[in-house]
Amino acid sequence: MFEEGSILRQRYGEENVFDLSIGNPVMEPPVEFSQGLKRLVENPLPGMHRYMENAGYPETRAAVAAQLSLETGIKFSVNDIVMACGAAGALNVVLKTILNPGDEVIVFAPYFMEYENYIDNHGGVAKVLPTDERFIPKLDALEAAITAKTKAVIINSPNNPSGAVYAEDVIHRLGELLRKKESQYRIGIFLISDEAYRKIIYDGLRYPPVFRHHPQSIVITSHSKDLALPGERIGYIAVHPNCSRREELVDGFIFCNRALGYVNAPALMQHVVRSLQHVTVSVAEYQKKRDFLYGHLVEMGYSVVKPQGAFYMFPKSPLEEDVAFVKELQQWNVLTVPGRGFGSPGYFRVSYCVDDRTLEGSLAGFKKVAQKFNLC
Ligand SMILES: Cc1ncc(COP(=O)(O)O)c(C=O)c1O
């Protein structure tokens, strides 16, 4: 889609192409970020560009631990946190640490398209399970799918691509189910929660922390979306303080950060985000974009579950063949992504972390296609 977008832009001009295919935040980082960066550059710390502990600076890990303690009501310490190169780096470190060849990792469709690659990177086998009509994991399917080889379950809420946010009750029941299966098979099952969009959540919802519902839980996240810093590759891994064999696990993360060649998360960014743990881009602005696009798509007759977080929506494809439908939109220079890329054919993903001109400009194409397929 990225290349397709470049070709279309060359052919029709930047202003006539409406690229809703990529999750690259349109917003600039909050002002506190540039202030922090400027302060640091003007007052450099001795040795601030040198190698460091592979886990990251203790001061940064302590700041993350303090923020997590505040958000979850569970006491985290510096020893529960490992800084990583984005959420992607964090997930690869976790999977490298916990997986033996042939171990199963359960994911729920629709899912972030890289999960299968990352699981495969470390010799695991991805098992894809369905969600319900609101994109919430089906726990009866999970119960049936767990075997003695299950090493982890990955969840992602707010979800890319659906924007679904899992309610506390769902996470609670998920935790109960995992513990039941752990004792049935005498194994440990990690709940890996990908919280890349944890702070981008709408309608006054509060984020229910997984840590309260399963001691074998590991959170991976980054500041790619909440501080709009995807190019800076800064994120972290947090382990439940009561996770069994926690020390061994964290040692594994630290070792794998090295062994995978990340070595440590970027030094400059660790210095800056240390004081930004409570800061987030304007969620209200994303909510405004969601409301605008959702309102128009529904009015045109598209079937969409209203997203409660992240910056994507995942409407039903009016054609069974989602790739063909995405091509129809492309005829009007509107770029989206077919659902099959996320393990859910029959849908398409629209990314609304774009400027208002692009969102507004895309409506004519959505309308033409809606008319063609008699949605109105
Ligand atoms: C659900 C999800 N997880 C992980 C990532 C990777 O994030 P990062 O850029 O911080 O590595 C993304 C990026 O879009 C994502 O959508």
Side-chain angles (χ1 to χ4, degrees):
M1 296 311 295
F2 198 83
E3 281 154 17
E4 201 70 52
S6 299
I7 295 167
L8 288 178
R9 274 187 283 274
Q10 277 169 20
R11 190 178 303 157
Y12 298 106
E14 180 85 37
E15 67 287 4
N16 296 314
V17 177
F18 311 103
D19 190 347
L20 309 177
S21 69
I22 302 169
N24 206 3
V26 64
M27 281 186 218
E28 292 302 324
V31 64
E32 291 91 333
F33 172 77
S34 25
Q35 286 168 346
L37 196 56
K38 188 159 179 265
R39 230 179 1 252
L40 192 62
V41 171
E42 287 174 353
N43 307 282
L45 304 166
M48 73 183 210
H49 302 295
R50 293 184 193 142
Y51 286 126
M52 68 187 78
E53 290 175 37
N54 299 108
Y57 291 118
E59 300 87 334
T60 307
R61 292 156 62 209
V64 169
Q67 179 65 23
L68 277 180
S69 305
L70 207 70
E71 288 179 23
T72 62
I74 295 167
K75 183 91 190 85
F76 285 84
S77 82
V78 66
N79 298 324
D80 304 315
I81 312 296
V82 175
M83 301 307 293
C85 293
L91 187 51
N92 273 282
V93 165
V94 169
L95 293 173
K96 169 92 174 155
T97 306
I98 66 172
L99 291 182
N100 290 317
D103 279 350
E104 291 170 358
V105 180
I106 293 176
V107 298
F108 295 94
Y111 52 84
F112 176 51
M113 48 177 81
E114 305 295 0
Y115 287 162
E116 282 186 298
N117 297 330
Y118 297 167
I119 293 166
D120 183 59
N121 279 347
H122 307 294
V125 178
K127 238 178 166 175
V128 180
L129 300 188
T131 51
D132 67 15
E133 65 289 347
R134 301 192 70 76
F135 308 114
I136 304 299
K138 287 185 173 170
L139 297 189
D140 49 350
L142 178 61
E143 178 149 23
I146 292 175
T147 70
K149 293 193 115 190
T150 304
K151 185 55 74 69
V153 174
I154 302 180
I155 56 171
N156 169 223
S157 162
N159 182 262
N160 175 8
S162 69
V165 175
Y166 304 166
E168 181 128 33
D169 162 61
V170 173
I171 295 171
H172 180 74
R173 286 187 288 122
L174 179 57
E176 278 184 340
L177 174 57
L178 293 185
R179 282 190 299 287
K180 181 173 133 188
K181 289 291 177 180
E182 282 181 331
S183 60
Q184 180 183 337
Y185 290 114
R186 297 174 187 280
I187 53 172
I189 305 175
F190 293 107
L191 178 58
I192 302 173
S193 179
D194 176 347
E195 304 189 356
Y197 302 91
R198 177 171 86 227
K199 303 214 177 138
I200 303 179
I201 185 165
Y202 308 132
D203 305 323
L205 282 181
R206 286 179 71 85
Y207 190 75
V210 295
F211 286 122
R212 291 193 194 139
H213 302 287
H214 192 54
Q216 296 295 101
S217 48
I218 301 169
V219 163
I220 59 115
T221 188
S222 69
H223 295 299
S224 298
K225 317 293 166 154
D226 63 14
L227 294 177
L229 298 173
E232 303 298 347
R233 314 308 303 138
I234 181 73
Y236 63 82
I237 305 166
V239 187
H240 196 299
N242 299 336
C243 187
S244 66
R245 297 164 70 192
R246 184 193 55 82
E247 249 177 77
E248 193 182 352
L249 194 62
V250 172
D251 283 349
F253 296 156
I254 295 169
F255 176 77
C256 290
N257 223 4
R258 238 176 74 203
L260 288 173
Y262 299 118
V263 183
N264 55 250
L268 202 57
M269 286 302 119
Q270 288 196 54
H271 284 300
V272 181
V273 302
R274 185 180 303 156
S275 57
L276 301 181
Q277 289 304 305
H278 60 290
V279 178
T280 308
V281 292
S282 168
V283 174
E285 214 168 299
Y286 279 133
Q287 184 167 326
K288 219 166 79 195
K289 290 178 193 293
R290 176 205 62 172
D291 290 343
F292 175 83
L293 188 65
Y294 174 80
H296 280 283
L297 291 186
V298 168
E299 197 180 297
M300 290 175 203
Y302 288 94
S303 167
V304 199
V305 176
K306 192 172 191 181
Q308 294 181 302
F311 37 56
Y312 310 100
M313 53 187 80
F314 203 53
K316 265 204 176 113
S317 164
L319 290 179
E320 212 177 300
E321 256 302 319
D322 48 322
V323 176
F325 179 75
V326 162
K327 287 203 170 122
E328 291 284 342
L329 284 173
Q330 216 170 301
Q331 302 285 314
W332 300 96
N333 291 348
V334 176
L335 304 184
T336 59
V337 186
R340 66 187 55 232
F342 305 93
S344 294
Y347 291 84
F348 63 104
R349 188 189 76 171
V350 187
S351 183
Y352 55 86
C353 54
V354 296
D355 55 29
D356 290 344
R357 183 203 66 80
T358 305
L359 271 191
E360 286 158 17
S362 71
L363 295 183
F366 278 118
K367 181 110 196 204
K368 291 276 185 207
V369 178
Q371 282 165 341
K372 177 167 177 181
F373 295 108
N374 297 320
L375 299 186
C376 311

